[in-house]
Amino acid sequence: MERMTRQRSAIETSVGQAGRPLLPQEVLALAQRAVPGLSIATVYRQLKALVDEGTLRAVQLAGEPPRYEPAAHGHHHHFQCTRCQRVFDMHGCPGDLAHLAPAGFVVENHEVTLYGCCAECAPPRRAAPQRRRTAA
């Protein structure tokens, strides 16, 4: 285990408090609030060390660079906004998906990612028009 430095602490705190998986560049922006001189190379080095020791885990989405989140989150799934590209945690799981696998296959694990617009990017919903009551 590496020693705790200001840089490492700022990186770990940034990922832990974000509430969603972060790209290294997002980690850098947040951690620089506590350590202004922090470099992207240090962020990558510390993210690798934190993953190797089991404090963080990498979230891999097809065709995307890895994002990082606390390993303590346990089994869960993700939602990716198709507009801003941010990834969010989804709490809950559809459960055992073995029945979807071809006959004879053994499911060992699964990942579910939903795609759409996050709350910040989604267009505001308009209220449904109210019906007028007519007197009888």
Side-chain angles (χ1 to χ4, degrees):
M1 183 171 162
E2 292 190 26
R3 67 186 178 93
M4 185 58 72
T5 62
R6 281 184 339 126
Q7 293 89 343
R8 183 182 180 90
S9 177
I11 290 165
E12 191 173 347
T13 299
S14 296
V15 173
Q17 292 180 348
R20 64 182 184 82
L22 298 177
L23 290 164
Q25 295 81 359
E26 293 174 306
V27 174
L28 175 65
L30 291 172
Q32 280 180 332
R33 294 176 185 170
V35 183
L38 187 64
S39 71
I40 192 68
T42 299
V43 169
Y44 277 110
R45 197 168 38 254
Q46 292 300 323
L47 288 172
K48 180 182 181 329
L50 289 162
V51 167
D52 289 348
E53 74 181 37
T55 302
L56 298 181
R57 78 177 194 101
V59 174
Q60 300 282 351
L61 300 179
E64 295 281 328
R67 289 164 169 84
Y68 298 87
E69 67 182 5
H73 280 215
H75 180 76
H76 65 282
H77 300 290
H78 297 96
F79 177 96
Q80 183 175 26
C81 180
T82 55
R83 293 196 181 163
C84 69
Q85 303 304 309
R86 291 181 299 170
V87 174
F88 301 87
D89 290 341
M90 288 188 329
H91 300 286
C93 179
D96 183 14
L97 300 176
H99 65 281
L100 298 175
F105 283 63
V106 176
V107 175
E108 296 176 350
N109 197 358
H110 68 267
E111 293 289 333
V112 175
T113 304
L114 299 180
Y115 299 90
C117 290
C118 70
E120 287 182 34
C121 293
R125 290 186 176 187
R126 295 194 300 199
Q130 294 188 356
R131 293 184 185 170
R132 286 185 162 177
R133 290 186 148 181
T134 56

